[in-house]
């Protein structure tokens, strides 16, 4: 059973005047444990597709089924709750909470889920050590490099064991070394944790490591290539 | 706990801005308390000056006297009656009896309408320091037929100490009230009109003059704590043993004074409203900046699964903490300032001293320390600050997550 499935998905702006098809009739499935890139030129609809899948935006037409649940029919509050329980987010600009430490940022989602403190400590500590941030628990985001911040963001997204992680251009602000480190780490977590990763990216380094590359052009599905 | 921690840390991510907001609330509370204290202080002095020479803070009368203030409606109340009142109502410290009526008063050649007032000098002096107003002679020497008159009346009747004063009027239930008295003292009564008319004599002598034995027009009731006067009045009026009598507060007896105070308060309220608006916009400015600067963060938090309600709680808690600190610090700052001015009232200048002294008032601007206005003003400023928090809370609920997260 796919973890994500869209059917006849559209996102149309200015539908009543001059329609702009940001997402144009996309029907696609993503299976568990996939490491997928969504690529395409600027304005091709990558981010819009991810927003629709993540329940941050509502489609003009079509359906989005995530972990067996239709999210386009949910209320906003239900979608927020659903995102909390099922989806991890990694952003281009890391978007850590500046007043919290690395540990607190990484534990933030689990705390919102009201998980037991002991479970949070065990899980977050383990993941931060796994991504090489064992000595930076108490550092604030401003004291971390870009690569370190993005690793904290990945741990934040991953810690609650979501069904999949949506990553919007996660390497765009990283230098080559940091980007490779991050990708290796995510690939490793993908294999170790069995969590599905779905990226939007322009970054060739990400594309090379992806197990599947979905290409969008003008909002429509142009190609869907699985690597062996 | 996590939300509180987040709110607390958010507060201190921009220390300067937080302190500016706290300072805005602090100064709002400080200024509001200062203005209110000055206003209340001057009102308290005004009430004290007016009330102590006229109605007293609370007064007991015959039930008919309020509508028809005539000696025929004077109530029976001798020493025993006064002592019983003190026993029955422990909030009352002492009572001040008066028997009053209007009569003609004549000197050797002139006659004037006079206000004959029989008093228990000790009680009267204890209440309003009338003895301090004596300018010549004594306040009764213990002799027969003695009166102390206002300096204005003495001037009008060409009287001096030792001269005779003839009083002619109507006593209780149509009895003739006529007598010849010796002027033993002259007082400068602080109420100018009374200074021209007042004739003080011992209570028993007035009762003899008016043929109103054991009667008084009214008893001033002086509570241990002056602000408990309403309580005293309520207690008496609720007591079935006192059905033939009626107690009143000074507010009921002096509606004009209440109106004057209300007018005065309206002026202060205008100042306070301007202050509230200015301070309110100041606080709103910083809250607005705080909110707009963090919209992207709000968008991200909602994206990753934080309910808007929880985010609103964080924003609310931030403002709550700031306002609470501002109010507490404002009160803390106001206390020493107001204490200083309470014990060191502001002088009104040399020119005012003589004029004010004529009215029995000090030429100073007094301050009040009534705890009531402390919490009133604190609550008002706190309420204004908390109303401002509606903006970021509404903003959180209306936030377009995608637009905000893209910023």
């Amino acid at each position: 059973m796919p973890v994500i499935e869209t059917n006849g998905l559209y996102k149309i702006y200015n539908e009543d005047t001059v329609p702009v098809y940001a997402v144009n009739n996309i029907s696609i499935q993503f299976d568990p444990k996939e490491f997928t890139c969504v690529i395409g030129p600027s304005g091709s609809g990558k981010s819009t597709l991810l927003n629709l899948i993540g329940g941050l935006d509502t489609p003009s037409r079509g359906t989005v089924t995530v972990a067996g649940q239709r999210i386009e029919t949910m209320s906003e509050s239900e979608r927020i709750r659903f995102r909390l329980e099922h989806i991890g987010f990694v952003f281009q600009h890391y978007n850590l909470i500046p007043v919290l430490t690395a540990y607190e940022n990484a534990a933030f989602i689990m705390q919102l889920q009201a998980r037991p403190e002991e479970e949070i400590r065990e899980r977050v500590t383990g993941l931060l050590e796994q991504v090489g941030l064992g000595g930076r628990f108490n550092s604030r985001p401003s004291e971390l490099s870009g690569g370190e911040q993005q690793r904290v963001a990945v741990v934040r997204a991953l810690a609650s064991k979501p069904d999949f992680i949506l990553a919007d251009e996660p390497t765009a602000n990283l230098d080559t070394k940091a980007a490779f480190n991050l990708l290796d780490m995510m690939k490793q977590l993908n294999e170790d944790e069995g969590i599905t990763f779905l990226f939007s990216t322009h970054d060739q380094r990400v594309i090379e490591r992806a197990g599947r590359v979905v290409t969008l052009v003008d909002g429509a599905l142009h190609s869907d290539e699985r690597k062996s | 706990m996590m939300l509180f921690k987040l709110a607390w840390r958010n507060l201190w991510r921009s220390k300067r801005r937080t302190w500016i907001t706290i300072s805005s609330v602090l100064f709002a509370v400080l200024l509001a308390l200062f203005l209110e204290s000055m206003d209340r202080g001057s009102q308290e002095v005004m009430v004290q000056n007016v009330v102590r020479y006229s109605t007293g803070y609370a007064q007991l009368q015959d039930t008919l006297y309020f509508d028809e203030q005539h000696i025929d409606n004077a109530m029976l109340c001798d020493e025993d009656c006064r002592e019983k009142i003190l026993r029955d109502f422990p909030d009352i410290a002492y009572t001040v009896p008066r028997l009053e009526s209007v009569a003609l008063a004549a000197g050797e050649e002139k006659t004037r309408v006079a206000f004959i007032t029989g008093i228990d000098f000790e009680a009267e002096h204890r209440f309003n320091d009338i003895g301090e107003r004596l300018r010549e002679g004594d306040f009764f020497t213990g002799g027969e037929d003695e009166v102390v008159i206002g300096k204005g009346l003495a001037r009008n009747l060409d009287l001096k100490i030792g001269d005779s004063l003839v009083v002619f009027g109507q006593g209780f239930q149509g009895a003739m009230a006529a007598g010849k008295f010796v002027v033993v003292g002259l007082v400068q009564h602080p109420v100018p009109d009374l200074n021209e008319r007042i004739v003080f004599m011992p209570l028993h002598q007035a009762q003899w003059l008016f043929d109103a034995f054991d009667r008084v027009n009214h008893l001033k009731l002086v509570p241990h704590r002056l602000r408990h006067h309403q309580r005293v009045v309520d207690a008496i009026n609720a007591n079935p043993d006192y059905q033939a009598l009626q107690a009143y507060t000074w507010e009921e007896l002096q509606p004009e004074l209440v109106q004057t105070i209300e007018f005065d308060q309206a002026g202060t309220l205008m100042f306070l409203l301007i202050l509230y608006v200015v301070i309110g916009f100041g606080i709103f400015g910083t809250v607005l900046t705080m909110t707009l600067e963090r919209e992207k963060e709000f968008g991200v938090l909602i994206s990753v699964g934080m309910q808007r309600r929880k985010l609103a709680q964080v924003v609310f808690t931030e403002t709550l903490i700031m306002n609470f600190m501002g109010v507490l610090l404002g009160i803390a700052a106001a206390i020493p300032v107001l204490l200083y001015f309470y014990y060191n009232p502001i002088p009104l200048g040399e020119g005012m001293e003589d004029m004010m002294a004529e009215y029995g008032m000090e030429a100073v601007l007094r301050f009040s320390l009534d705890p009531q206005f402390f919490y009133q003003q604190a609550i008002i400023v706190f309420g204004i600050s908390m109303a401002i928090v509606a903006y970021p809370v509404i903003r959180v609920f209306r936030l377009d997550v995608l637009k905000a997260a893209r910023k």
Side-chain angles (χ1 to χ4, degrees), chain B residues 80-96:
Chain B
D80 293 342
C81 156
R82 287 170 64 188
E83 281 171 18
K84 182 176 185 307
I85 289 170
L86 295 184
R87 280 198 305 276
D88 289 347
F89 305 102
D91 277 338
I92 301 175
Y94 60 96
T95 61
V96 184

Side-chain angles (χ1 to χ4, degrees), chain A residues 55-203:
Chain A
L56 295 172
D57 204 354
T58 48
S60 305
R61 268 171 262 164
T63 63
V64 182
T65 307
V66 175
Q69 294 185 58
R70 291 269 296 277
I71 62 169
E72 85 280 359
T73 57
M74 292 177 180
S75 69
E76 206 232 3
S77 177
E78 287 168 341
R79 275 187 280 133
I80 293 175
R81 184 79 209 167
F82 185 83
R83 288 200 294 269
L84 181 66
E85 299 295 340
H86 297 276
I87 309 172
F89 287 87
V90 178
F91 301 94
Q92 181 180 341
H93 297 288
Y94 331 129
N95 290 335
L96 299 178
I97 302 166
V99 294
L100 300 183
T101 64
Y103 175 86
E104 288 164 340
N105 264 291
F108 187 70
I109 303 293
M110 292 183 80
Q111 284 181 326
L112 282 181
Q113 292 173 333
R115 300 271 188 93
E117 270 307 313
E118 188 55 38
E119 182 194 342
I120 295 172
R121 190 163 40 247
E122 206 171 291
R123 173 80 175 151
V124 171
T125 305
L127 281 172
L128 283 174
E129 279 169 356
Q130 194 178 338
V131 300
L133 291 172
R136 310 303 303 271
F137 282 16
N138 293 319
S139 301
R140 295 272 176 102
S142 58
E143 297 161 351
L144 299 172
S145 68
E148 286 173 327
Q149 286 187 59
Q150 196 62 302
R151 277 187 272 165
V152 174
V154 171
V155 172
R156 176 177 70 181
L158 199 70
S160 63
K161 296 186 181 168
D163 292 309
F164 66 96
I165 287 175
L166 286 177
D168 190 8
E169 311 249 9
T171 56
N173 287 332
L174 300 181
D175 59 40
T176 303
K177 191 180 170 199
F180 278 129
N181 283 341
L182 183 79
L183 287 167
D184 290 342
M185 182 199 90
M186 288 201 282
K187 188 74 181 160
Q188 191 65 46
L189 291 168
N190 168 246
E191 286 163 10
D192 294 349
E193 301 270 336
I195 291 174
T196 308
F197 276 80
L198 183 58
F199 299 90
S200 75
T201 189
H202 286 103
D203 192 335

Side-chain angles (χ1 to χ4, degrees), chain A residues 76-77 83 98-99 104, chain B residues 9 13 296 302-303 307-308:
Chain A
E76 206 232 3
S77 177
R83 288 200 294 269
V99 294
E104 288 164 340
Chain B
R9 298 235 189 119
R13 65 204 281 182
K296 179 186 169 83
I302 296 169
S303 298
Q307 290 287 358
R308 288 175 192 265

Side-chain angles (χ1 to χ4, degrees), chain B residues 359-405:
Chain B
Y359 292 92
M361 295 156 88
E362 285 180 277
V364 291
L365 204 53
R366 286 212 172 270
F367 284 70
S368 171
L369 287 178
D370 185 351
Q372 192 188 16
F373 74 79
F374 271 84
Y375 65 74
Q376 270 177 356
Q377 288 305 320
I379 287 171
I380 290 171
V381 174
F382 188 73
I384 291 169
S385 321
M386 291 317 293
I388 291 166
V389 81
Y391 174 76
V393 168
I394 291 168
R395 195 88 187 175
V396 164
F397 278 104
R398 290 187 175 171
L399 190 73
D400 183 329
V401 176
L402 281 178
K403 272 188 192 165

Side-chain angles (χ1 to χ4, degrees), chain B residues 326-342:
Chain B
V327 166
L328 286 183
L329 290 173
I331 291 173
I335 287 172
V337 174
L338 297 185
L339 270 174
Y340 174 80
F341 284 113
Y342 182 78

